[in-house]
Amino acid sequence: MFRAVGDQELFQETTRRFLEVEVPLAKVRDLAGTTDGYEPSFWRQGAQLGWTSLLVPEDAGGGSISGHGVVDLALVAYEFGLHAAPGPLIGTNVVAAALGRWGTDDQRAGPLADLLAGDAAGAWAHAEPAPNDGLGDLALTATRSGDGFSLHGVKSPVEAGRQAAYILVSARHESGPTQFLIPSNAPGLMIKPLHGLDMTRRHARLEFDGVTVPSTHLVGRPGSAGANIDWLLDLAVSIQLAEMCGALTWAFDTTVDWAFNRYSFGRPLASYQELKHRFADMKMWLEASCAISADAAAAMDRDQAQRSERVSAGKFYVGRYGPELMQDCVQMHGGIGVTFDHDLHLFLRRIVTDVPTYGTPGQHAARLTGILAGADR
Amino acid sequence: MFRAVGDQELFQETTRRFLEVEVPLAKVRDLAGTTDGYEPSFWRQGAQLGWTSLLVPEDAGGGSISGHGVVDLALVAYEFGLHAAPGPLIGTNVVAAALGRWGTDDQRAGPLADLLAGDAAGAWAHAEPAPNDGLGDLALTATRSGDGFSLHGVKSPVEAGRQAAYILVSARHESGPTQFLIPSNAPGLMIKPLHGLDMTRRHARLEFDGVTVPSTHLVGRPGSAGANIDWLLDLAVSIQLAEMCGALTWAFDTTVDWAFNRYSFGRPLASYQELKHRFADMKMWLEASCAISADAAAAMDRDQAQRSERVSAGKFYVGRYGPELMQDCVQMHGGIGVTFDHDLHLFLRRIVTDVPTYGTPGQHAARLTGILAGADR
Amino acid sequence: MSDTTDVEDVESFAARARAWLAANMPRPPDESRRDPSDDSDEEELRRVARSRRLQRLLYDGGFAGICVPSAYGGQGLTLAHQLAFNEEIADYDYPTETQLPTFTPCLPVILEFGTEDQKNTHIPPMLRGETAWMQLLSEPSGGSDVAAALTTAARDGDEWVLNGSKIWTTGAWWADWGLCLARTNWDVPKHRGLSVFMLDMHQPGIEIHRIEMLNGSREFCQEFLTDVRVPESLRVGAVDGGWTVGVRWMLHERTVLGQSPYVTGEPVRRRLGQGPGGGVAPLLQRARDLGLLTDPKASELIGEVFAMSVVGSTLGSHIAEGIRTGRLAEDAGAITRLYVGTSAVRNASIAFELAGLSAIAWSDSEAELGKRGIDYLMRQAACIGGGTTEMSRNVISERVLGMPRERAFDRDVPFRDVPRSAPQR
Amino acid sequence: MSDTTDVEDVESFAARARAWLAANMPRPPDESRRDPSDDSDEEELRRVARSRRLQRLLYDGGFAGICVPSAYGGQGLTLAHQLAFNEEIADYDYPTETQLPTFTPCLPVILEFGTEDQKNTHIPPMLRGETAWMQLLSEPSGGSDVAAALTTAARDGDEWVLNGSKIWTTGAWWADWGLCLARTNWDVPKHRGLSVFMLDMHQPGIEIHRIEMLNGSREFCQEFLTDVRVPESLRVGAVDGGWTVGVRWMLHERTVLGQSPYVTGEPVRRRLGQGPGGGVAPLLQRARDLGLLTDPKASELIGEVFAMSVVGSTLGSHIAEGIRTGRLAEDAGAITRLYVGTSAVRNASIAFELAGLSAIAWSDSEAELGKRGIDYLMRQAACIGGGTTEMSRNVISERVLGMPRERAFDRDVPFRDVPRSAPQR
């Protein structure tokens, strides 16, 4: 229900076919038992399809399909959601976009080239554990230390934090928010894998107990990253929203099929008015979710003033109603819907994991009020 | 659905018949156009039935029916709700209970006797306007002034604030919370009528701009009223809950009848599964509301440690689900449900008015957390 | 409607409209922001008169009936032109009171089903602002079951004699004409015994009663028809074929929330989220006054209202596109209707909660907060008026998702024998 | 059950029980507070064995089967005695694993419908803790439509041969006996072609498959019956009269949430509100850790969880009293079931929200918060297991409020011809 236009159609179709062949749900289940959750060759092939280059300028080796890179990427993310596909899609693209926009020549030549080729994954280390888990909180500190900086603090959860070769870290410097790109093998960096709900993705806790990094690891000038981090947050959410819409679409379509084919008291479930009305609500939630998510991606590409409005309205809405849609799908399935053998939970896990990630629905609603209050003052 | 036992049965039945005869809904509509919303003779007769004496000890001229005065009064309040009856039931009983417990001999001989006889009404001036509208907030000050006290602040909304002869005012004194019983004609007291949602009740704003009262107006010692005010709050809410249950019962029963008799597409509304399931939810809300409300009243009479738990759980639940039940009744009626001619809104107004009065559902939920955290520490 | 090569392209049309509007159209009066439920009858009549003048202005400027064939006084252009015009006129005054239901659903119903004579007679006066129409559709006994009309039209020579009652009509007391669905045959199943008539509202036998809503609004009317005589020439569509007309009629009615080719003015999508509750601005002001802008609860609730309006603003065009590309059934507008109703309910609840005790008892200076209370009492109106949300959910599940239809006890049974509600008190 | 004059009064019974319990009953082990979904099979078997021992202890003390006639090894007392005993035993250890469904619904079904011989043979071993029972009721194809059983019992001389599959049985892998609903006639409407059998679970032809839930729990089983032979003497109730048994069977099952005369232990009402989400204590701890006890949002959410549990604790007895006084239909227990399900859903959502990001990704030390995430994934189990909330709403509207029943396409039609789901993958 994300509408592809022109060249995007072929692009989306290619991604869809690739995912159907490479990571059918049986394969996703197999991969769930592995340490990383995806295979390097899978990711490299995906990169060749264009998954990692869409937000990177052509002069940095990237290129979009349609000139609207975020919308292009949203189409990929939608397919990822629809197939519960593994792979460090959001983190890699966030890091690639950051390097494409603000990276040094060295960062573009090395790390970015690796990301574009699919030879390495990226991770965005931004979220911090409670009580520093508010939107806009930033407690990890960067202090001058010789020629470089010393980082103190914790980032958690970081998606693909242990799989990524390059980690984009946001930190608080005395001059303001500051970003660093550090290699995952930076001396002193502790990367601890976490247990997680989502069987297809991996999260880690990154502990910086005086990790020293040279100035060449800076992404942008010290203290200048406030607006950039805000943009990256909007970017991460807009990709996440598309992915959520894909997962919701799978669950909805699967449950509609079930309702037509499952009989109770001699009638298909789809003939019971109470269930029909819940399907009507679910359809409304799904359409509204897809509408605002597509709009948020488009607003990112236009880089409009209302960009954050669209993104946060989207995260509020999809984050509020998406899980209810999923849980209604479970309820309609009955007991079988909460068994391990049924595929529904692969998508439920993904949606539920997305809800608090990159800001809860409530935090995004409060952010909207902040935006309004600022505009209104 | 409030269960009367023994003598309570006759008492409740007498009140019910009296209200049916004296304030049928057509009469309630007539009274809605009057300044006070009820007739003094109506109130005096009600007092003779026992409406005002139930919480007052026998040695002060009162007496309950069953030995459980709050439960007795809850039965009256339930009937008030069921008939959308006017009259200063809660305020008068709160003031009478306070005077019966903590009043001086003079206060018992004069004001309390008037209240018991139904010759005068009482009003509880406790709530204050935003931003002092949190549970436990008290911004109106009482300062020593000669032999008495000087009161500064605002109480609003005060139910029957203009109809009552006696007003129980809670104030902040340097030594702690303090209560006064003042006559409505106290010099300097400004009583301003307010517009209101509820056509059967009147509210006023009371402005104390240096109102001087003698020490004989104190109810209890200065600074000692904290626990007493807490008890009065629980009392007011427990009566309010019974009244809400009555109003909800009227709305539910009326709407069930409607659903059986209203046909659409050749079938009664009551045959549509989606509506049936909403009726099932409404029935659950109604039964649970009556269960906790009856329990809260009983807990008041036992004056248990868990008194406030029961009361606040009740206000949270009935305040959260009661309005939804009412609005579902409106929805089931369709357009006619929001016309002035239909009686439904008389009950809707009452429920909606009750929701924030004596603490919102959210405030009572937060109060529960406070109680738990205290007990748990 | 006409060969595309003949048609002025949308951009030059928009430019022409822009220039014409700047030269001719007044800006909206400030009072247009007032709550219509406050209006006195005099005020309403004044607004109706202004609407008629503005409509005439559009007509004289060549911008009335943009999608109406020029044979009937319109401009013979396309929906794209109408939408472009709506964008241009958004900041100007434009006819409101006489737009709906005159231009939709009444006009397209006559366009589709009227005889040449009926179209020539009735459409040009609509476009000139001379006749305001109303729809006599719902009945007190019927609720959502519009086809169960009890209002009866009996043939008497060249005339029909109508008896019955219609309800929930807007502006019936000042309208000129009405489109009326009536039963012409009780011996066939309900859908097959209806016919549609055009009714001159100024004739004898029509008694109009203003309905008072619980918030004091008197915008709706009920009409009592007693031996109202209608000439055969005012019948629309076939005898007993009224349901064919009615189905299209109600589809046009639903496009009000989507994009109607016949309605001029601010696209409805901009108004989404501004139902009961008054929108987000007063909530923001209230929170600022009370220092609650950063309160975790208040800021979430205010943000929720804003989010629902932002999402709503994208939903309409998303659904419209889905219908256009065939991804969604034509009835998918019911999704938008459901969204508008349910989000209005939520917004009214949030506004009530944030208004605090002043929403239940208020001084003159707190009237704005008191309105949040009254809006909350009226909350469900957003899920009732214009077709209930229950009906929307039926439509979505049955016609968009293709699920089995509800069992009806009135199919294949003579309407005379269908069980129905006891008569109203 | 017996003349009241014969019966020990409740107070002296309670005093006797109190003394006996103090002298004989162990206190509950701390581990009883563990989440059962964590248990290994070994651990579960250990708990089953303990339950059997405790049941034997009760039996020897004269406190097993308080409401069971003494002829079958019980005490022949009343519900009031059982409830008093439950109060007394609340702080002690008592049999849990072997209580349900052995003592309800299996025992009362046999009491009501069994022959004298069946009762003498099967009830005493239950009371002595020797036989644990299970119910073979639901089927993979059937969902809520229990009477649509496809499992077939065909007569073969003095035996019946059973084939089919049953699902959602608890503890089937260690149970001894089962009560099984099977189809004995395909040529009559579904309710009229069922019969009930007692099944020795240790016989050939019964294959038990453990179902893995998404949270790793393996408490439920599916059984595959292949040519399982059951002697005629183990049939309960009339041939083709199984639905008469089934209706009572399910009514007894529902009393689990109310007050069953046959279940010993902490009254269920105390456990209300302790479903997924873990109750209010961990929420309070979390809020204290984060300094959120006075945060307006967190404190409201925690208070809501507590309020729902307080309200739930009053609802059970309110409904039970309503049934007793005749104000409510006997099926009104469905109201409690609906409350338990919906409030558990709400509590799981609140707990998930308050647990923050640690509910989706957690370290070993945050395992308690991670459980809030897993509980949230399992949220709907509270509205599915033991009869869906949809069925509860049907029951409330139809049997408590007396509204018209849903149309069924399987009445008055031979079951053979009833449309049904395509076979499972």
Side-chain angles (χ1 to χ4, degrees), chain C residues 364-412:
Chain C
D364 288 337
S365 67
E366 295 167 315
E368 193 59 35
L369 297 171
K371 254 186 203 149
R372 301 293 83 79
I374 295 168
D375 284 349
Y376 183 76
L377 295 181
M378 283 294 287
R379 189 184 90 168
Q380 296 307 122
C383 287
I384 296 171
T388 63
T389 41
E390 284 83 5
M391 288 305 288
S392 305
R393 291 189 177 100
N394 271 350
V395 168
I396 296 167
S397 57
E398 296 177 1
R399 297 194 218 154
V400 179
L401 299 175
M403 292 178 164
R405 295 186 61 181
E406 272 311 289
R407 185 189 196 186
F409 286 80
D410 54 0
R411 295 196 194 117
D412 311 319

Side-chain angles (χ1 to χ4, degrees), chain A residues 1 3 276-277 281 287 369, chain C residues 299 303 321 327 394 398 404:
Chain A
M1 273 189 289
R3 188 143 170 267
K276 284 162 63 181
H277 280 211
D281 280 335
E287 291 290 337
T369 299
Chain C
S299 63
E321 185 194 45
R327 182 178 68 80
N394 271 350
E398 296 177 1

Side-chain angles (χ1 to χ4, degrees), chain A residues 249-272:
Chain A
T249 298
W250 187 93
F252 181 75
D253 289 348
T254 299
T255 308
V256 168
D257 279 352
W258 166 260
F260 274 100
N261 293 315
R262 175 79 170 180
Y263 280 66
S264 198
F265 303 96
R267 295 162 51 177
L269 293 185
S271 74
Y272 286 91

